[in-house]
């Protein structure tokens, strides 16, 4: 069974600094997708970044980048130049590609990020 | 793109009562999902619709739960004979047809409290 592990319940970072949120995964499927979502206190889940298991390069989206280490089964999110508005819960999620096109995601337990001035 | 809309935002009900939640997806999205999120956990998949067809249901979805998407547009999730364990945030999401990495667009959720 697929599983996502986020070992950091909470992280603190100062504004303008970079922060790495850890995510490890377990799957027997050779083809899968990895996602990061942000959940502010309002409750809405906001898509940040996607990495496919066969993608050769690490995904980047603005200040977000995904440090994908396939052999270690890790998909850490790096946020550069943190902003106060980045304070939120961050969830790592995985989709096994036997469900291609169908987003049955398995989520981790999340990491709460607090950005201080 | 007006986003995914869910109603109500909050629902407090007594154990044993029935509740119904509504989700309006992004208009051009034909795929709709329901997830449930309990305190301190990530969302868990409940069910999936492609147009009006319900194609997948989680084992989490007991017989007391029923979801519909009658015309392939909005969806409802009904919980009958609510139990305290049903207290959670119910999240609706939609996505477009396409590659498997089409991201889910989530609504703000309906927070259910069963007393």
């Amino acid at each position: 069974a697929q599983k996502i592990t986020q070992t950091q319940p909470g992280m603190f970072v100062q504004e303008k600094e970079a922060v790495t949120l850890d995510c490890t995964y377990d799957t027997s499927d050779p083809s899968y997708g990895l996602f990061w979502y942000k959940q502010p206190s309002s409750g809405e889940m906001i898509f940040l970044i996607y990495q496919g298991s066969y993608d050769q390069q690490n995904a980047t989206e603005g200040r977000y980048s995904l440090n994908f280490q396939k052999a270690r089964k890790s998909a850490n999110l790096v946020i550069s130049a943190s902003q106060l508005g980045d304070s939120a819960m961050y969830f790592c999620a995985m989709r096994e590609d036997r469900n291609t096109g169908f987003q049955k995601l398995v989520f981790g337990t999340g990491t709460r990020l607090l950005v201080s001035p | 793109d007006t986003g995914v809309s869910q109603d109500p935002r909050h629902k407090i009900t007594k154990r044993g009562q029935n509740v119904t939640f509504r989700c309006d997806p992004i208009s051009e999205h034909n795929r709709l999902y329901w997830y449930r999120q309990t305190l301190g956990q990530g969302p868990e998949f409940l069910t999936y619709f492609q147009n009006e067809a319900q194609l997948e249901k989680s084992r989490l979805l007991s017989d007391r739960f029923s979801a519909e998407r009658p015309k392939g547009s909005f969806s409802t999730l009904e919980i009958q004979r609510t139990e305290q364990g049903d207290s959670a945030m119910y999240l609706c999401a939609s996505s477009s047809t396409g590659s498997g990495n089409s991201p889910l667009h989530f609504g703000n959720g309906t927070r259910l409290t069963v007393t």
Side-chain angles (χ1 to χ4, degrees), chain A residues 38-41 84-90 111-115:
Chain A
K38 172 184 178 182
Q39 188 176 40
S41 56
L84 296 178
D86 293 336
S87 294
M89 283 291 289
Y90 288 80
T111 296
R112 182 171 297 281
L113 177 66
L114 184 61
V115 181

Side-chain angles (χ1 to χ4, degrees), chain B residues 13-19 64 79-83 114:
Chain B
T13 191
K14 292 185 177 178
R15 188 178 55 184
Q17 297 294 305
N18 299 342
V19 294
R64 297 184 297 105
I79 309 174
Q80 297 181 327
R81 305 182 303 282
T82 52
E83 301 173 356
V114 182

Side-chain angles (χ1 to χ4, degrees), chain A residues 40-51:
Chain A
S41 56
S42 61
E44 182 183 0
M45 299 284 286
I46 302 168
F47 167 73
L48 296 178
I49 197 166
Y50 166 81
Q51 179 86 41

